[in-house]
Amino acid sequence: GSVGWEGGAMSKRFQQGVDPDAASIFNRGEELQRLDSQRQTVNIVIIVLAIAGMVLGILENELLWHNRNIPVLSFQLIKLLNSMLTIILFYYVLRYYSIEFELLEVSGKTVMGAPYLQAFVLSGLLWPFITEACIILVHPLPFVNYIVHIWGLDTYCAYSSDAFATVFMLLRLYYYTPRIIAEVSGLKNEKTRLIGLMNNVDLSYHFILKAMLRDSLLTLLFLFVVSVITMSYAMIVFERPVGPDTNLDLFENSVWLIIITMTTVGYGDTYPKTPSGRYVAIFAALLAVVLVALAVGAVTDRLTLTRDESKVLEFIDNIRNKQERKVAAARMLQNGWRAYVKEREMYEKKHGFPPPEQDRPQNRILNQPRYYKAALDYAQMRGESVNGISTDVALTVTENAVSIKRINTNLEDLDKKLAEMHNMIKTAVLGGASTKSTRW
């Protein structure tokens, strides 16, 4: 029955003059557009839920710290709400990867005929799903709170389990930053996906992040701000149990330390005193190497001149050098004339008559220091002059006129040759026709 229906539908398409392959491609495009719209909506919901859960975790951790790590019922309610958000977030993550698999399936990038789970594993989506699940499932659990004791660097610190869980939740911001940038940039849609398929390029979130880091300094600034804020809060959590021996229990001091560490300045006025705080500082220093390299590359690309800009700059430099050469040439002539007059006057004063032909002053003006220096300066400027674009307007106009005249002459010669060939062909055709008619 299905075969007969498909055959009837196919014959109906042929009768209507519609290519079934084109209709199939059109339906596939509509399906890709629908799935991509769902993916974008689910992705936004995931980002909002992840950030909301992180904010609830920070709120609960701060309230617990100010209550001297003594949990109360209100704190448990906040953690219970966070757990509910995490469950909803996990559901939407499952939905997201289901849509991604459907997109691959419609695009023809999955194993046909295999069971769903096997095809999902072979599609390459399993490990990203496991990684994201591990990141989002870690959160302060309700009615679970214990103290973690850490010794090191001659210090003793007591942390609550919620503090470690909250710091781990900050990884959500790092993990979803590429998605945030991709959704804001608008580079993740069905059209760009189609272009990527045509060129065998996977438009993943990391690819879009790489493109935005290369083209947008605001993206790099956003990454820097996110890194400073998250690591500053982690530094506060790990350093404040030391007590009055540290000033990193204030957010502004932690921000100061992270920025000074990431910019490799390191004044030494503030430094972490706990092992966990020093691990955060090490991570900030390593991350700064990557961000500084990206910043240098982005600034270099912005300051690199295009071909047209280089040509214009070369043209301007050539004009400036030409003016300087004119001044140097005038200075050389001026010093040469003064040296000539001076040598002539000295000779007449010494001998009482003008110098003879073989002993003219111009033969000795090269010995004058001022003229010699001016001549050297002029020769050096001519040697260092910019070669490339001609700045002599009269010369350029003359060269263009000569070129145009040469082209016109060639066109005239070509017209004459074409006219001669036309006459020869016409003569041959008419001569042949007249011969045949005479013979006939």
Side-chain angles (χ1 to χ4, degrees), residues 51 195 249-250 325 339 348 384:
I51 295 177
I195 294 174
D249 54 345
L250 299 176
R325 289 197 301 271
E348 290 180 355
E384 294 177 354

Side-chain angles (χ1 to χ4, degrees), residues 4-190:
W5 180 86
E6 290 178 358
M10 296 286 274
S11 61
K12 186 175 181 181
R13 289 177 183 173
F14 277 114
Q15 292 174 2
Q16 293 177 351
V18 179
D19 187 1
D21 293 335
S24 176
I25 294 173
F26 181 74
N27 293 333
R28 180 181 298 179
E30 287 185 342
E31 184 69 13
L32 286 173
Q33 185 175 2
R34 183 186 65 81
L35 291 174
D36 191 79
S37 178
Q38 292 183 3
R39 179 204 59 79
Q40 185 176 7
T41 303
V42 171
N43 198 21
I44 294 175
V45 173
I46 289 174
I47 294 172
V48 172
L49 290 176
I51 295 177
M54 186 180 65
V55 171
L56 285 178
I58 293 173
L59 175 63
E60 188 271 334
N61 184 55
E62 292 301 308
L63 293 175
L64 183 63
W65 167 256
H66 288 90
N67 200 37
R68 297 182 180 181
N69 290 332
I70 300 175
V72 296
L73 182 60
S74 59
F75 302 164
Q76 304 298 333
L77 292 177
I78 294 176
K79 291 199 290 184
L80 186 61
L81 178 59
N82 199 351
S83 297
M84 294 174 61
L85 287 179
T86 302
I87 294 173
I88 298 174
L89 176 60
F90 183 73
Y91 165 75
Y92 275 99
V93 168
L94 287 174
R95 178 63 181 151
Y96 173 81
Y97 280 96
S98 175
I99 295 174
E100 283 287 345
F101 181 74
E102 289 183 25
L103 283 169
L104 293 177
E105 194 173 21
V106 174
S107 302
K109 287 191 171 183
T110 57
V111 179
M112 303 298 295
Y116 183 85
L117 183 59
Q118 183 180 1
F120 183 83
V121 173
L122 295 176
S123 65
L125 296 175
L126 178 62
W127 287 113
F129 167 72
I130 293 176
T131 303
E132 187 170 354
C134 293
I135 291 175
I136 66 172
L137 289 178
V138 176
H139 67 284
L141 297 176
F143 308 104
V144 176
N145 190 16
Y146 55 90
I147 302 300
V148 180
H149 305 277
I150 296 180
W151 290 268
L153 301 176
D154 297 329
T155 58
Y156 163 75
C157 299
Y159 302 101
S160 66
S161 58
D162 293 350
F164 282 98
T166 304
V167 171
F168 190 86
M169 289 182 71
L170 298 177
L171 292 177
R172 296 183 179 186
L173 201 54
Y174 284 98
Y175 186 82
Y176 289 113
T177 294
R179 295 193 185 182
I180 297 174
I181 295 174
E183 296 299 337
V184 172
S185 64
L187 295 177
K188 189 77 172 178
N189 52 56
E190 73 281 357

Side-chain angles (χ1 to χ4, degrees), residues 352-367:
F353 55 87
E357 185 68 26
Q358 65 275 10
D359 196 15
R360 291 291 184 184
Q362 60 264 28
N363 298 328
R364 296 191 302 273
I365 62 175
L366 290 176
N367 298 327

Side-chain angles (χ1 to χ4, degrees), residues 159-287:
Y159 302 101
S160 66
S161 58
D162 293 350
F164 282 98
T166 304
V167 171
F168 190 86
M169 289 182 71
L170 298 177
L171 292 177
R172 296 183 179 186
L173 201 54
Y174 284 98
Y175 186 82
Y176 289 113
T177 294
R179 295 193 185 182
I180 297 174
I181 295 174
E183 296 299 337
V184 172
S185 64
L187 295 177
K188 189 77 172 178
N189 52 56
E190 73 281 357
K191 296 180 180 178
T192 57
R193 183 188 293 271
L194 180 60
I195 294 174
L197 289 174
M198 294 172 60
N199 295 275
N200 197 21
V201 175
D202 183 18
L203 267 72
S204 61
Y205 293 111
H206 295 89
F207 172 80
I208 296 175
L209 177 62
K210 181 171 64 174
M212 293 300 297
L213 287 175
R214 187 193 63 178
D215 298 334
S216 175
L217 289 175
L218 292 177
T219 304
L220 185 61
L221 180 62
F222 175 73
L223 286 180
F224 181 78
V225 172
V226 169
S227 302
V228 169
I229 292 176
T230 53
M231 286 187 289
S232 298
Y233 181 73
M235 184 67 71
I236 291 176
V237 172
F238 290 137
E239 287 294 314
R240 62 188 176 188
V242 176
D245 296 334
T246 182
N247 57 355
L248 291 176
D249 54 345
L250 299 176
F251 186 74
E252 54 268 23
N253 291 335
S254 296
V255 171
W256 165 260
L257 174 63
I258 295 299
I259 293 177
I260 293 303
T261 303
M262 294 183 70
T263 53
T264 67
V265 177
Y267 287 112
D269 56 343
T270 303
Y271 58 91
K273 297 181 179 180
T274 63
S276 302
R278 295 194 177 186
Y279 292 149
V280 174
I282 292 173
F283 181 75
L286 295 177
L287 183 61

